[in-house]
């Protein structure tokens, strides 16, 4: 890690990482508030992100009495990047979080997820309900399992250029283009106040990697963006994209798991997000509270103070 990135961590009160061996891999884990042992909260990032995406929540959570644990999940940062695609399925991803709790000696924890991290947390609550005491998920509501495997369904609805489908049908193509244009791709995807525009032809992630003039405004300062750029210049994108390449496998793996989530749950939406809000979430998550913030997809980075206060207020109510 460069001194420049270490100084960014220091200026944002973001902890330095430790490599921890769990579940057959090494995870790069950022930990704060060890003095609050016994009250763990695990923050799970999305795509194409990094544990650093939670930088604005750490200090307040520690001050509120939490032991904050933020892994770079497998495929990301300095965590392991297995070469077998199937090692990124939902059993492995949730297994990493269970093993992380075991490492710290915790029976359960509060889990917070954004984007793909939210998907992992939803499924963790289904596969290992005894390890999850509360859920806070951002951007991605629980995705109900239909009668068709995910990629087949998405291809029928959105076509072969839809990025989920493209990642699966043309493995390696997008990975290479995004890796060739790492800095430009991340600069272009991490935007806010993006005007609504009709979808352009082609594959979204490849278009973002090649676009010279991004829409909207930068989501973060250049020194913060450099943390993401440095991480992906080192890791490439294949490990993180392999999460998408397990969607159909996950569809089969979850076939016999009843989709009811009993833990108290807070769902935080961005009102300008392109991911639609779920009309049926309350039926799957009976103990549900919902907050909507006036922002796009990158909720905790775009609206850091509002996100943090929403989380703390809800946790305080749950713990009362």
């Amino acid at each position: 890690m460069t001194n420049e990135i270490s100084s960014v961590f220091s200026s944002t009160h973001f902890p330095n990482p430790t490599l921890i061996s769990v579940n057959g891999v090494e995870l790069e884990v950022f930990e704060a508030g060890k003095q609050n042992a016994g009250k763990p909260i695990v923050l799970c990032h999305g795509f194409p992100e990094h544990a650093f995406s939670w930088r604005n929540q750490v200090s307040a959570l520690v001050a509120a009495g939490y032991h904050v644990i933020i892994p770079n999940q497998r495929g990301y940062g300095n965590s392991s990047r297995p070469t077998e695609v199937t090692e990124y399925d939902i059993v492995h991803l949730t297994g990493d979080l269970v093993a992380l709790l075991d490492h710290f000696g915790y029976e359960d924890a509060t889990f917070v997820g954004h984007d793909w991290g939210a998907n992992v947390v939803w499924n963790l609550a289904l596969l290992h309900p005894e390890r999850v005491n509360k859920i806070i998920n951002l951007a991605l509501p629980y995705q109900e399992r239909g009668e068709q495997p995910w990629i087949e369904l998405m291809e029928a609805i959105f076509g072969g250029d839809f990025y989920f489908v493209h990642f699966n049908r043309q493995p390696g193509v997008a990975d290479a283009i995004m890796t060739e244009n790492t800095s430009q791709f991340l600069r272009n995807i991490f935007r806010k106040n993006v005007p609504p525009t009709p979808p352009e032809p082609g594959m979204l992630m490849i278009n973002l990697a090649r676009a010279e003039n991004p829409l909207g405004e930068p989501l973060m300062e250049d020194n913060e963006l450099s943390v993401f750029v440095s991480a992906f210049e080192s890791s490439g994108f294949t490990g993180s994209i392999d999460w998408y390449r397990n969607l159909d496998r996950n569809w089969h793996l979850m076939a016999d798991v009843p989709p009811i989530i009993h833990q108290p749950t807070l769902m935080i939406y961005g009102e300008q997000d392109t991911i639609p809000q779920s009309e049926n979430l309350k039926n799957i998550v009976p103990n549900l509270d919902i907050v909507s913030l006036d922002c796009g997809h990158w909720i905790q980075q775009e609206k850091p103070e509002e996100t943090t206060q929403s989380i703390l207020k809800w946790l305080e109510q749950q713990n009362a």
Side-chain angles (χ1 to χ4, degrees):
M1 187 180 299
T2 66
N3 289 334
E4 179 188 354
I5 290 173
S6 293
S7 69
V8 176
F9 286 175
S10 299
S11 67
T12 56
H13 306 289
F14 201 74
N16 286 315
T18 305
L19 281 178
I20 296 175
S21 296
V22 292
N23 199 31
V25 293
E26 282 194 327
L27 295 184
E28 182 181 27
V29 178
F30 301 79
E31 183 189 358
K34 294 180 186 179
Q35 69 273 22
N36 301 324
K39 202 174 176 184
I41 189 166
V42 183
L43 312 182
C44 303
H45 64 78
F47 171 89
E49 292 187 286
H50 186 281
F52 189 62
S53 63
W54 297 105
R55 61 196 173 279
N56 296 304
Q57 284 69 50
V58 175
S59 295
L61 286 169
V62 170
Y66 288 92
H67 178 193
V68 181
I69 300 165
I70 319 175
N72 264 333
Q73 299 183 79
R74 63 170 65 198
Y76 286 85
N78 291 313
S79 294
S80 295
R81 299 186 293 276
T83 55
E84 288 293 324
V85 173
T86 54
E87 290 193 39
Y88 296 88
D89 69 23
I90 202 64
V91 171
H92 286 85
L93 296 176
T94 57
D96 290 350
L97 298 180
V98 168
L100 197 57
L101 290 189
D102 291 342
H103 170 82
F104 286 107
Y106 289 130
E107 291 184 9
D108 59 19
T110 297
F111 282 87
V112 186
H114 171 253
D115 183 77
W116 253 110
N119 187 59
V120 176
V121 171
W122 292 127
N123 286 283
L124 176 67
L126 293 174
L127 292 170
H128 303 279
E130 73 286 353
R131 309 308 296 266
V132 182
N133 59 48
K134 286 182 283 294
I135 296 167
I136 301 168
N137 273 338
L138 286 66
L140 187 74
Y142 179 77
Q143 302 297 292
E144 294 180 69
R145 183 184 182 277
E147 294 183 2
Q148 275 181 291
W150 286 110
I151 299 305
E152 184 182 315
L153 175 69
M154 291 176 182
E155 189 167 28
I157 296 172
F158 302 115
D161 273 341
F162 185 59
Y163 69 99
F164 283 72
V165 179
H166 191 289
F167 282 156
N168 280 271
R169 301 293 190 238
Q170 300 188 50
V173 174
D175 318 30
I177 294 168
M178 290 156 65
T179 298
E180 285 167 15
N181 300 281
T182 297
S183 181
Q184 182 166 281
F185 170 65
L186 294 171
R187 179 201 68 175
N188 291 349
I189 198 169
F190 287 129
R191 311 292 287 186
K192 62 183 179 179
N193 299 325
V194 177
T197 53
E200 57 182 0
M203 196 278 223
L204 171 65
M205 297 298 169
I206 292 175
N207 290 348
L208 283 169
R210 290 175 167 163
E212 294 184 6
N213 299 302
L215 299 174
E217 305 162 25
L219 179 69
M220 61 187 95
E221 300 293 333
D222 286 347
N223 65 332
E224 294 174 315
L225 181 62
S226 70
V227 174
F228 295 83
V229 172
S230 177
F232 281 101
E233 283 179 343
S234 175
S235 69
F237 289 92
T238 297
S240 56
I241 292 173
D242 281 345
W243 291 38
Y244 291 86
R245 296 183 175 126
N246 278 280
L247 277 167
D248 283 357
R249 180 176 171 83
N250 296 344
W251 183 87
H252 289 286
L253 288 169
M254 300 300 292
D256 298 322
V257 181
I260 299 294
I261 292 166
H262 298 283
Q263 290 87 346
T265 299
L266 173 64
M267 181 70 217
I268 303 178
Y269 290 113
E271 291 172 2
Q272 315 307 323
D273 198 346
T274 55
I275 297 175
Q277 299 189 16
S278 169
E279 296 178 0
N280 194 39
L281 191 58
K282 188 77 176 177
N283 295 328
I284 296 159
V285 191
N287 195 350
L288 176 69
D289 292 301
I290 295 173
V291 168
S292 293
L293 300 179
D294 183 16
C295 63
H297 181 66
W298 314 107
I299 298 171
Q300 77 273 29
Q301 298 188 81
E302 187 174 337
K303 294 288 186 181
E305 184 61 27
E306 293 92 330
T307 301
T308 302
Q309 290 308 314
S310 296
I311 289 171
L312 291 175
K313 181 181 177 183
W314 184 80
L315 286 171
E316 189 176 341
Q317 290 169 346
Q318 293 300 312
N319 294 329

